[in-house]
């Protein structure tokens, strides 16, 4: 039930159907987007994964292109908590 937000500097965060790197992409959510954690963490592929609810009405992307759309319904999926050379974390607490 914790509220978190995407805290990457510019990259959109992939929401997947399973907690695996090779799982299917559902959507990509933009930096600053708030979501609710509903499960996790699950550890796989040397990563921690959190199941989140993405609320309807949020601007999202699919496939990495420049177009976006607004969710007409809430979506659930898995996001990776991680780190790369640019972003120390992908999701951060809203508290």
């Amino acid at each position: 039930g914790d509220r978190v937000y995407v805290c990457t500097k510019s990259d959109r965060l992939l929401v997947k159907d399973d907690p695996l790197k090779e799982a299917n992409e559902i959507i990509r959510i933009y930096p600053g987007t708030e979501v609710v954690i509903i499960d996790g963490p699950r550890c796989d592929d040397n990563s921690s994964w959190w199941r989140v609810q993405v609320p309807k009405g949020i601007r999202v992307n699919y496939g990495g292109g420049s177009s976006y759309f607004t969710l007409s319904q809430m979506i659930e999926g898995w996001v990776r908590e991680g780190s790369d050379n640019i972003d120390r974390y992908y999701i951060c607490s809203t508290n």
Side-chain angles (χ1 to χ4, degrees), residues 41-57:
R42 292 241 181 111
C43 297
D44 207 331
D45 292 332
N46 295 318
S47 297
S48 295
W49 294 83
W50 297 91
R51 186 163 178 84
V52 298
Q53 287 179 333
V54 182
K56 71 179 182 176

Side-chain angles (χ1 to χ4, degrees), residues 52-83:
V52 298
Q53 287 179 333
V54 182
K56 71 179 182 176
I58 297 298
R59 183 177 79 141
V60 299
N61 176 269
Y62 180 78
S66 61
S67 62
Y68 65 90
F69 62 95
T70 302
L71 286 180
S72 60
Q73 63 185 20
M74 183 269 303
I75 288 182
E76 294 182 2
W78 293 91
V79 297
R80 192 173 129 221
E81 176 182 21
S83 172

